[in-house]
């Protein structure tokens, strides 16, 4: 009997929610291999997802696979995860799979990186030998001279001469240099500190279980969470072949963490995976994870999809951080995907943070807690205390106001040669008018936005529709005449600081000034050498890094988050201010945090001052319960945008109508304009979905999205579905 014919299902990067059938070529084909296939008039790379003995496509329409690589890209569990992700986030399966494949492979440039070589001079190489070289061989002479002093690695060649590889080959062929495989020197492992009692308790709980459990380590900044990760890793990576994945929210946090882990585990291969790597480095590191060579993998959100040989533990540092969410293409949340991954792999997962996301908190402390909760309430370094937090009422009526109390506090630090961090909330650098007595703010009558104060012309203006009016004399709600423009720009603050402290060294940093790793490193060095007195910056300074001489943190304008229409704004503000407060007083110097605010007694600030996360979380949860918001409901967001307002609105209405036809019990809100109504010239609308259960939500989304995809109007707009949205 002839062998039964086989059909190969291939994932391809096209916006259709299906796999594509091909006929095999004469190679041995396996699930997970990457293949070149004809698609339309193109030839593209795809991944074999399954092999079956049946197909729905007429036999004569099937094309043959052109070629297959031996390398297996994904294993069974990872496929399972990717299918789950495609289903859950409603992203086409082929695009889901291909979006996690390293780009070199997609470009069919997946060659294996050669092992690095080191070049060493033989005793034939000396100055006389170099003298005999023709004078015009300048580069060859230069490299040869360098080699007399030191041996040189592949990656260092170009530091000595341009096109160093060519020169070195010539020296090798002249037999004055020999090449050998380079292996890194292994330092002695750093001795770990003894854990304090709180840490010991946490660690001993963590090492008890090895199957699928989720832990939340809730520990204040500096309480020694990272030290616990290190000692926990020790129990894993020393076992044969075990691998550990550590996810961090920001690339900026990887070098610091990488250095700490390398000191502790010098003999274990550690790789990082993030977008600052070159495509070649990324592929190389990804392969080291896949082969099992790398034991410790530190990466940002996409690393959650890395193939591993033997993954045994996942750690998510700063789990509350919004950067774990991807807002483009495949809109996933890496923490939630990691949860699923840990389940499929049947391994433990550890979430660490000083300010848990409310959803995480609910899962650890709520009625139906699924996670195990562990707590660290003290700073790990002896005598280091959490900084004291005060609120300072805003000063003058108008203008760039830094209150006198704050000015005095800054002055005293500068005199004592301590450092000050001025933290500015990026969102809302445009000043708006608020009442210092109640929470009224001047809003546009035609848009869901606040009016912006224009001090020069003494007018209020809507930046969305152009509405323009005079500045009112009193609050429209309570009649109070004390109205403040709130929200200052970084530059303005820097200006007034320069006037106030002409002798101080003031440095303003933002994403633009510290884009590269070098720039950041330089900043830390300058801070440590005390070349800077006052550092002015945004969110990016709030995370992770220690400034030992920093004793004062000033928060100038955080209030705008208090009246945002995004229901997560207070939660984010709390966590951000907690993080930034954590920068002060890390070592011996006592830290202080001053928050300048028009609402000194607002619950968010009260909770911060009392360092009482659990009370704060409790009150937020009560609010959410009343409003039936996450985690008490399951949400999705349809985002629609178009050049014309009419198209955006018409599509949204059509979508709403279609959804209503399904007679599901999911509540639909909208269409409404998001907080940013217009973005990059596009008019935007949203429909918000609120369901009592995940399955209810998914049961509506699936058929609804299918109809929207095939609707003729969908060509006139850009639209997307965001499941579990965290920003509006
Ligand atoms: P977190 O990750 O919670 O911010 P870290 O693990 O970075 O905290 O610890 C904060 C500081 O305390 C670090 O400098 C760390 O080296 C130190 N540290 C942590 N645990 C101990 C310990 N048991 N004994 C002494 N120092 C510790
Ligand atoms: Zn008022
Ligand atoms: Zn308006």
């Amino acid at each position: 009997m002839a062998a039964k014919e086989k059909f190969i299902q291939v994932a391809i990067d096209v916006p259709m929610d299906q796999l594509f059938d091909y006929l095999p070529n004469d190679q041995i084909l396996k699930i997970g291999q990457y293949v070149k296939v004809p698609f339309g008039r193109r030839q593209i790379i795809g991944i074999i997802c399954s092999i079956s003995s049946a197909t729905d496509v007429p036999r004569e329409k099937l094309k043959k696979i052109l070629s297959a690589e031996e390398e297996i890209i994904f294993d069974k569990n990872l496929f399972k995860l990717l299918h789950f992700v495609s289903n859950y986030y409603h992203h086409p399966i082929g695009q889901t799979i291909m979006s996690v494949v390293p780009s070199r492979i997609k470009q069919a440039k997946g060659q294996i990186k050669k092992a690095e070589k080191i070049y060493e001079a033989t005793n034939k190489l000396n100055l006389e030998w170099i003298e005999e070289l023709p004078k015009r061989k300048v580069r060859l002479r230069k490299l040869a001279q360098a080699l007399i002093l030191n041996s040189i690695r592949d990656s260092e060649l170009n530091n000595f001469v341009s096109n160093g590889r060519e020169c070195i080959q010539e020296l090798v062929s002249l037999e004055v240099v020999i090449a050998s495989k380079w292996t890194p020197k292994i330092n002695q492992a750093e001795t770990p500190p003894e854990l304090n009692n709180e840490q010991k308790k946490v660690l001993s709980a963590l090492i008890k279980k090895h199957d699928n459990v989720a832990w939340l380590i809730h520990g204040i900044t500096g309480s020694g969470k990272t030290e616990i990760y290190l000692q926990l890793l020790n129990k894993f990576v020393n076992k044969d072949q075990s691998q550990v994945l550590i996810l961090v929210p920001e690339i900026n946090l990887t070098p610091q963490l990488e250095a700490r882990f390398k000191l502790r585990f010098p003999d274990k291969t550690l790789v990082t995976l993030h977008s600052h790597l070159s495509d070649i480095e990324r592929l190389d590191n990804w392969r080291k994870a896949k082969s099992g060579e790398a034991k410790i993998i530190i990466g940002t959100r996409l690393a959650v999809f890395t193939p591993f040989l033997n993954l045994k533990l996942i750690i998510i540092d700063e789990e509350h951080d919004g950067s774990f969410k991807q807002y483009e293409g495949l809109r996933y949340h890496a923490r939630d995907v990691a949860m699923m991954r840990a389940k499929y792999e049947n391994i433990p997962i550890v979430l660490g943070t000083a300010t848990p996301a409310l959803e995480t908190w609910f899962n650890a402390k709520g009625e139906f807690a699924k996670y195990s909760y562990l707590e660290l309430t003290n700073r790990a370094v002896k005598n280091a205390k959490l900084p004291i937090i005060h609120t300072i009422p805003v000063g003058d009526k108008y203008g760039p106001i830094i209150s006198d109390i704050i000015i005095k506090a800054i002055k005293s630090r500068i005199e004592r040669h301590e450092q000050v961090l001025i933290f500015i909330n990026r969102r809302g650098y445009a000043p708006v008018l608020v009442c210092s007595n109640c929470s009224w703010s001047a809003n546009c009558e035609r848009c869901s936005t606040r009016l912006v104060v224009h001090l020069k012309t003494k007018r209020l203006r809507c930046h969305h529709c152009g509405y323009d009016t005079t500045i009112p004399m009193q609050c429209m709600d309570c009649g109070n005449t004390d109205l403040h423009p709130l929200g200052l720009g970084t530059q303005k603050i820097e200006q007034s600081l320069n006037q106030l402290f002409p002798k101080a060294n003031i440095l303003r940093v933002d994403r633009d000034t510290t884009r590269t790793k070098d720039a950041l490193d330089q900043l830390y060095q300058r801070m440590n050498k005390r070349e800077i007195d006052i550092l002015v910056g945004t969110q990016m300074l709030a995370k992770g890094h220690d400034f030992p001489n920093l004793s004062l943190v000033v928060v100038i304008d955080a209030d705008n988050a208090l009246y945002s229409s995004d229901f997560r704004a207070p939660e984010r503000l709390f966590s951000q201010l907690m993080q930034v407060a954590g920068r002060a007083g890390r070592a011996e110097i006592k830290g202080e945090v001053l928050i300048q605010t028009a609402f000194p007694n607002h619950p968010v600030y009260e909770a911060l001052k009392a360092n009482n996360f659990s009370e704060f979380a409790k009150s937020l949860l009560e609010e959410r319960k009343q409003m039936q918001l996450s985690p008490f409901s399951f949400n999705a967001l349809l985002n629609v945008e178009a050049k014309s307002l009419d198209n955006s609105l018409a599509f949204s209405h059509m979508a709403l109508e279609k959804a209503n036809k399904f007679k599901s019990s999911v509540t639909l809100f909208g269409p409404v304009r998001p907080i940013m109504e217009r973005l990059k010239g596009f008019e935007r609308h949203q429909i918000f979905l609120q369901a009592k259960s995940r399955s209810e939500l998914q049961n509506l989304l699936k058929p609804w999205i299918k109809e929207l995809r095939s609707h003729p109007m969908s060509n006139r707009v850009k639209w997307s579905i965001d499941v579990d949205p965290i920003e509006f």
Side-chain angles (χ1 to χ4, degrees):
M1 200 174 76
K4 210 158 179 204
E5 187 160 34
K6 289 255 171 10
F7 304 97
I8 315 295
Q9 282 80 49
V10 179
I12 291 169
D13 193 355
V14 290
M16 290 150 90
D17 200 14
Q18 62 172 97
L19 299 172
F20 293 85
D21 289 10
Y22 285 90
L23 296 172
N25 63 354
D26 45 19
Q27 288 174 278
I28 297 167
L29 299 177
K30 289 190 193 132
I31 292 173
Q33 276 176 334
Y34 69 103
V35 289
K36 196 182 265 178
V37 292
F39 191 79
R41 269 180 240 152
R42 294 181 293 157
Q43 296 187 353
I44 54 179
I45 297 287
I47 310 264
I48 300 181
C49 289
S50 54
I51 300 175
S52 72
S53 49
T55 175
D56 298 334
V57 185
R59 176 73 174 64
E60 65 279 8
K61 287 209 166 164
L62 288 175
K63 291 181 190 158
K64 215 184 210 179
I65 281 175
L66 298 170
S67 63
E69 296 294 324
E70 265 175 46
E71 184 174 15
I72 307 265
I73 304 277
F74 299 130
D75 62 20
K76 218 172 68 202
N77 279 349
L78 201 45
F79 264 125
K80 213 164 127 189
L81 185 74
L82 289 164
H83 273 106
F84 165 81
V85 164
S86 160
N87 251 315
Y88 186 85
Y89 293 108
H90 300 275
H91 197 61
I93 181 68
Q95 288 191 321
T96 301
I97 290 176
M98 292 312 283
S99 65
V100 310
V101 171
S103 53
R104 294 285 293 190
I105 287 183
K106 282 191 275 196
Q107 297 153 11
K109 289 192 239 164
Q111 299 93 334
I112 289 166
K113 194 176 151 196
K114 289 200 191 97
E116 190 166 25
K117 287 199 179 124
I118 185 157
Y119 303 94
E120 223 170 327
T122 65
N123 46 20
K124 271 200 229 162
L125 186 68
N126 50 38
L127 289 174
E128 288 100 73
W129 186 89
I130 294 173
E131 263 314 295
E132 310 234 313
L133 284 171
K135 283 273 179 293
R136 64 188 162 79
K137 299 229 166 191
V138 184
R139 289 185 298 137
L140 201 65
R141 288 166 159 262
K142 211 168 153 194
L143 189 62
Q145 258 158 15
L147 277 156
I148 293 180
L149 300 173
N150 270 313
S151 40
I152 298 177
R153 275 155 59 189
D154 265 326
S155 56
E156 299 165 337
L157 282 171
N158 288 341
N159 300 347
F160 294 92
V161 288
S162 57
N163 226 343
R165 203 164 294 263
E166 225 168 75
C167 296
I168 201 76
Q169 288 314 332
E170 195 170 343
L171 292 172
V172 171
S173 62
L174 291 169
E175 294 181 358
V176 290
V177 166
I178 45 169
S180 52
K181 195 181 153 209
W182 178 74
T183 41
K185 198 171 90 217
I186 292 173
N187 295 320
Q188 186 134 37
E190 171 198 75
T191 324
E194 195 188 324
L195 296 182
N196 62 36
N197 286 340
E198 267 191 336
Q199 285 174 313
K200 273 184 192 156
K201 252 199 215 156
V202 170
L203 184 66
S204 67
L206 290 173
I207 54 183
K208 259 187 218 136
K209 291 200 181 146
H210 281 249
D211 51 351
N212 178 228
V213 262
W215 302 94
L216 169 62
I217 307 182
H218 179 206
I220 61 167
T221 50
S223 59
K225 296 183 289 294
T226 313
E227 184 56 46
I228 290 176
Y229 306 155
L230 285 162
Q231 303 209 14
L232 178 62
L233 240 68
N234 200 31
K235 310 277 174 199
F236 281 86
V237 294
N238 288 329
K239 283 208 192 116
D240 37 53
Q241 302 307 318
S242 288
Q243 293 176 292
V244 176
L245 170 66
I246 301 153
L247 290 179
V248 291
E250 296 254 359
I251 299 168
N252 289 343
L253 299 179
T254 53
Q256 201 194 22
L257 213 57
E258 183 184 358
R260 253 176 108 175
F261 278 80
K262 273 190 171 157
L263 281 176
R264 204 61 71 81
F265 303 102
D267 60 331
K268 299 280 182 275
T269 305
L270 182 156
V271 297
T272 58
L273 288 167
H274 52 75
S275 57
H276 279 190
L277 299 175
S278 72
D279 286 350
I280 296 178
E281 282 174 303
R282 191 172 182 124
L283 177 60
D284 195 45
N285 289 353
W286 181 87
R287 281 202 173 116
K288 282 181 178 150
K290 184 159 71 81
S291 70
E293 181 187 339
K295 300 294 183 274
I296 304 169
I297 297 88
I298 301 178
T300 48
R301 57 179 181 252
L302 190 60
V304 74
F305 296 109
T306 311
F308 295 99
L309 185 70
N310 197 18
L311 185 64
K312 286 294 178 213
L313 173 69
I314 302 175
I315 294 172
I316 306 197
D317 196 23
E318 311 287 3
E319 67 81 26
H320 64 277
D321 199 294
S323 310
F324 283 120
K325 172 107 181 178
Q326 160 90 24
Y327 293 96
E328 287 291 313
L330 174 59
R331 292 171 176 76
Y332 66 98
H333 198 299
R335 178 196 60 218
D336 300 344
V337 174
M339 276 290 162
M340 217 50 207
R341 178 142 201 197
K343 194 170 155 187
Y344 288 153
E345 313 267 358
N346 193 30
I347 57 171
I349 177 165
V350 176
L351 311 180
T353 174
T355 53
L358 213 53
E359 283 79 5
T360 304
W361 180 258
F362 185 67
N363 279 327
K365 301 287 272 185
E367 239 173 297
F368 311 102
K370 294 181 283 186
Y371 307 167
S372 303
Y373 178 80
L374 300 165
E375 195 176 26
L376 295 169
T377 58
N378 294 304
R379 287 202 152 173
V381 172
K382 262 214 185 79
N383 300 325
K385 289 269 175 304
L386 267 189
I388 297 167
I389 301 178
H390 298 287
T391 42
I392 307 291
V394 276
D396 301 318
K397 238 183 186 169
Y398 299 119
I401 10 113
I402 302 178
S403 95
D404 284 345
I405 302 175
I406 292 177
I407 294 170
K408 263 189 211 139
I410 297 175
K411 214 174 237 158
S412 75
R413 304 306 144 122
I414 295 178
E415 277 161 12
R416 298 207 299 256
H417 292 285
E418 294 169 10
Q419 291 166 313
V420 180
L421 169 66
I422 312 261
F423 177 73
I424 288 158
N425 199 344
R426 242 293 169 73
R427 295 163 197 242
Y429 49 86
V432 297
L433 197 68
V434 297
C435 169
S436 61
N437 188 40
C438 66
S439 56
W440 176 84
S441 63
N443 293 321
C444 175
E445 287 167 16
R446 290 178 248 172
C447 309
S448 58
T449 178
R450 272 170 296 281
L451 297 168
V452 175
V453 182
H454 287 252
L455 274 180
K456 264 203 195 127
T457 52
K458 292 238 156 40
R459 313 240 353 137
L460 294 174
R461 195 174 301 150
C462 172
H463 283 187
H464 293 270
C465 70
Y467 174 78
D468 183 281
T469 182
T470 52
I471 294 178
M473 302 304 289
Q474 327 180 280
C475 168
M476 301 292 186
D477 271 4
C478 75
N480 173 29
T481 53
D482 197 13
L483 302 180
H484 293 287
L486 266 190
L488 310 161
T490 358
Q491 289 171 4
K492 204 162 195 182
I493 287 174
E494 191 193 10
Q495 258 175 24
S496 50
L497 287 170
N498 273 323
Q499 283 163 8
L500 288 163
F501 307 103
K503 287 200 195 119
N505 290 314
I506 300 171
L507 184 73
R508 175 168 64 88
V509 293
D510 49 38
R511 256 186 220 285
D512 304 332
T513 54
T514 50
R515 189 162 293 158
T516 63
K517 186 175 162 268
D518 280 350
L520 257 185
D521 284 348
Q522 260 178 33
L523 169 68
Y524 297 120
Q525 279 174 25
R526 290 187 61 194
M527 275 299 277
N528 286 341
K529 282 194 230 148
R530 304 201 194 194
E531 287 172 11
I532 300 163
D533 300 310
I534 304 176
L535 193 60
V536 184
T538 52
Q539 273 89 317
M540 59 159 312
L541 287 178
K543 288 176 201 163
H545 288 276
D546 283 5
F547 299 117
N549 308 313
L550 183 82
S551 65
L552 176 66
V553 172
V554 174
V555 180
I556 297 275
D557 64 342
D559 281 350
N560 54 330
L562 299 177
Y563 39 79
S564 164
S565 57
D566 185 341
F567 68 85
R568 280 192 177 82
E571 180 187 347
R572 270 199 291 267
L573 178 65
F574 184 93
S575 109
Q576 203 174 61
L577 294 187
M578 210 51 167
Q579 290 283 340
V580 77
R583 297 311 102 214
R586 298 275 279 191
E588 268 72 59
I589 312 176
K590 198 169 151 222
E592 191 178 21
V593 179
L594 302 178
I595 302 172
Q596 179 169 280
T597 169
F599 314 105
N601 300 320
H602 192 282
V604 174
Y605 298 135
E606 289 295 341
L608 275 167
K609 285 189 268 188
N611 181 28
N612 197 339
F613 181 84
S614 60
E615 269 306 305
F616 178 63
K618 202 171 133 196
S619 71
L620 282 186
L621 280 174
E622 265 160 29
E623 253 176 60
R624 299 259 184 108
K625 193 170 188 175
Q626 273 177 14
M627 318 261 297
Q628 281 300 299
L629 291 166
S630 169
F632 298 96
S633 69
F634 299 88
N635 310 137
L637 199 60
L638 173 73
N639 287 303
V640 182
E641 51 180 63
K643 283 268 187 229
S644 101
L645 192 66
D646 289 348
N647 281 345
S648 175
L649 194 61
F651 184 88
S652 306
H653 277 302
M654 178 278 292
L656 193 63
E657 213 169 280
K658 291 247 178 250
N660 282 328
K661 280 211 182 108
F662 289 107
K663 302 235 176 312
S664 117
S665 54
V666 176
T667 317
L668 293 126
F669 298 90
V672 294
R673 316 280 327 250
I675 293 169
M676 288 293 292
E677 300 180 355
R678 223 164 158 249
L679 192 63
K680 294 176 188 161
F682 282 86
E683 300 287 348
R684 309 162 86 208
H685 285 94
Q686 293 181 326
I687 293 174
F688 183 65
L689 289 79
Q690 194 179 57
K692 290 212 167 56
S693 72
R694 257 188 228 295
S695 56
E696 210 174 71
L697 180 66
Q698 294 291 0
N699 288 342
L700 172 63
L701 285 177
K702 193 115 213 162
W704 185 44
I705 290 169
K706 200 166 172 199
E707 286 203 9
L708 294 185
R709 276 201 184 119
S710 59
H711 198 279
M713 266 163 92
S714 74
N715 296 327
R716 268 175 271 160
V717 299
K718 292 201 284 182
W719 65 273
S720 62
I721 284 284
D722 186 355
V723 179
D724 305 329
I726 58 170
E727 289 205 48
F728 299 93

